[in-house]
Amino acid sequence: MSAEATARAVARAIDALRRGWPVTVSAGDRSLHLLAVESADETSLPAFDADSRANILISAARAQTLRLANQREAADPEAPVLVQRESWIDLGGAMAIADPVRDLATPLKGPYRALPLADPDVASAALRLARLAGILPAFFVAPAPIITEASAESAAIVAFDGGSQLHIATRARLPVSAAENAEIVAFRTPGDPREHVALVVGTRDDSLPVVRLHSECLTGDVLGSLKCDCGPQLHSALHQIAEARWGVLLYLRQEGRGIGLINKLRAYALQDQGFDTVDANTRLGFAIDARDFSVAAQMLKLLAIRDIRLLTNNPAKVAGLEAEGVRVTERVPLSIAANPHNARYLDTKRDRTGHQL
């Protein structure tokens, strides 16, 4: 199978998970047949597992909370852990295992028992597939082979690159309040419903453009959330780009540092329970920052931009772009005032994820 075909298979599996359909993850003749815990219901679960014998696959980060992960497993929070399905673990019990937001409202019964994993590499790829789909990394694992809606090879999942098949879909003039002389460019990847856009501001010339990578934030960009600094950063960046000779805003459909809107809201709920944004993400079974900056690099390459001045406080964005062949000649800081609701969030970005002015 060609690289393009395997990437499309992964995209189909991602789409199937988002629709609540079972999928298969395989490596050679070894395979796992999976149904996402959060999308299972009274109809789909019995159809998937008629005898209620499907064990539950979770991340080591979640297993540690359940006191199932040993020190070696806990050192890699994304590692897979298989939990034995007990007779009393129904749909609600499985969701309580999967979703840490429910820990205070639904005290865990337990005790739980971790089982040996016959195919840890396949299981690890399955958890990565869940994260790519923006769902909780928790699955029912069918006790016997079944027919599923989509399948993907574990190696293809691990190697999946959201920007590899990116292309320009269309472009149009778009006057905006910060700059009337602007053009919007839409990008699409086959099999991925997320459409990234670039706003090119000003008249292109031989000078280096000021570029901002902005990850989608519905709550901050649209609703004016005070829990983050995304909305103010977006508008400040647009004005700073407009004040330069020319520049580009890349609007990336990677909500919640790449974990998706639903999981970002789950992280908000965990923050209300006292966890900071880093611990909330890892407690959900996700990386601290799951964004794919190769997508941004590919967008710039498709716009024939190779050298930039990057408007950011995040050194990881500089490293991510340069690793993909985009030269960052200068990091331009973006200063936003804190408010009582996001002060801790901003402190966490500075102290735990290396953001700097």
Side-chain angles (χ1 to χ4, degrees):
M1 188 181 294
S2 68
E4 182 178 351
T6 56
R8 286 181 179 273
V10 175
R12 283 194 296 270
I14 291 171
D15 182 62
L17 286 182
R18 288 172 176 159
R19 294 172 184 270
W21 297 340
V23 302
T24 298
V25 175
S26 60
D29 59 354
R30 298 170 292 129
S31 60
L32 293 176
H33 308 282
L34 308 157
L35 178 67
V37 170
E38 75 169 87
S39 59
D41 57 30
E42 299 292 348
T43 300
S44 63
L45 183 56
F48 176 82
D49 176 36
D51 298 324
S52 301
R53 294 189 297 117
N55 295 319
I56 299 173
L57 182 67
I58 59 175
S59 69
R62 183 61 179 147
Q64 184 180 26
T65 302
L66 302 177
R67 301 185 179 180
L68 282 170
N70 59 34
Q71 287 186 332
R72 182 176 178 181
E73 290 170 331
D76 180 4
E78 296 185 14
V81 175
L82 188 64
V83 181
Q84 180 171 293
R85 178 86 172 277
E86 304 291 352
S87 60
W88 46 266
I89 301 179
D90 56 10
L91 270 173
M95 193 60 189
I97 290 173
D99 187 359
V101 175
R102 305 185 181 206
D103 286 356
L104 295 182
T106 308
L108 298 171
K109 292 180 180 179
Y112 300 102
R113 180 186 174 197
L115 299 172
L117 268 168
D119 299 301
D121 55 334
V122 180
S124 181
L127 294 182
R128 172 167 166 75
L129 186 69
R131 297 183 183 104
L132 289 170
I135 64 173
L136 288 170
F139 289 106
F140 289 107
V141 182
I146 63 169
I147 297 174
T148 59
E149 299 294 333
S151 63
E153 290 286 329
S154 61
I157 295 170
V158 173
F160 185 72
D161 179 359
S164 61
Q165 299 182 63
L166 197 72
H167 63 274
I168 294 176
T170 192
R171 56 206 308 163
R173 190 178 69 86
L174 182 69
V176 296
S177 60
E180 293 185 11
N181 182 16
E183 179 189 37
I184 190 166
V185 185
F187 300 80
R188 177 179 285 161
T189 300
D192 189 342
R194 297 173 302 173
E195 294 158 337
H196 308 283
V197 297
L199 188 71
V200 182
V201 176
T203 301
R204 184 168 182 160
D205 58 23
D206 293 334
S207 64
L208 292 180
V210 175
V211 173
R212 169 68 182 169
L213 276 58
H214 187 88
S215 298
E216 177 184 34
C217 179
L218 173 69
T219 50
D221 299 343
V222 179
L223 303 179
S225 167
L226 298 176
K227 289 178 71 74
C228 64
D229 58 346
C230 300
Q233 279 194 335
L234 172 62
H235 297 291
S236 178
L238 278 171
H239 284 284
Q240 286 187 238
I241 291 171
E243 290 168 2
R245 293 173 65 175
W246 75 289
V248 183
L249 174 84
L250 302 181
Y251 196 84
L252 308 171
R253 304 294 300 280
Q254 301 187 108
E255 181 90 41
R257 294 186 184 176
I259 67 174
L261 176 62
I262 301 299
N263 290 312
K264 183 179 79 170
L265 299 183
R266 287 177 173 134
Y268 279 179
L270 288 172
Q271 289 170 36
D272 289 340
Q273 294 177 19
F275 299 96
D276 66 25
T277 184
V278 168
D279 289 335
N281 276 25
T282 57
R283 198 172 180 85
L284 286 165
F286 291 93
I288 295 171
D289 191 337
R291 288 174 292 183
D292 181 4
F293 295 125
S294 70
V295 173
Q298 183 64 15
M299 292 168 72
L300 290 171
K301 291 174 185 177
L302 289 171
L303 293 171
I305 297 172
R306 293 281 182 167
D307 300 270
I308 65 172
R309 299 169 61 211
L310 187 62
L311 189 57
T312 186
N313 302 329
N314 185 358
K317 289 183 178 179
V318 177
L321 289 178
E322 292 195 326
E324 296 293 331
V326 176
R327 181 168 172 259
V328 179
T329 63
E330 179 185 3
R331 184 185 68 81
V332 182
L334 184 60
S335 180
I336 301 296
N339 68 61
H341 301 278
N342 69 11
R344 186 187 180 201
Y345 166 78
L346 296 179
D347 288 344
T348 299
K349 289 211 297 185
R350 179 195 64 212
D351 299 335
R352 300 196 64 184
T353 61
H355 285 59
Q356 53 192 251
L357 292 176

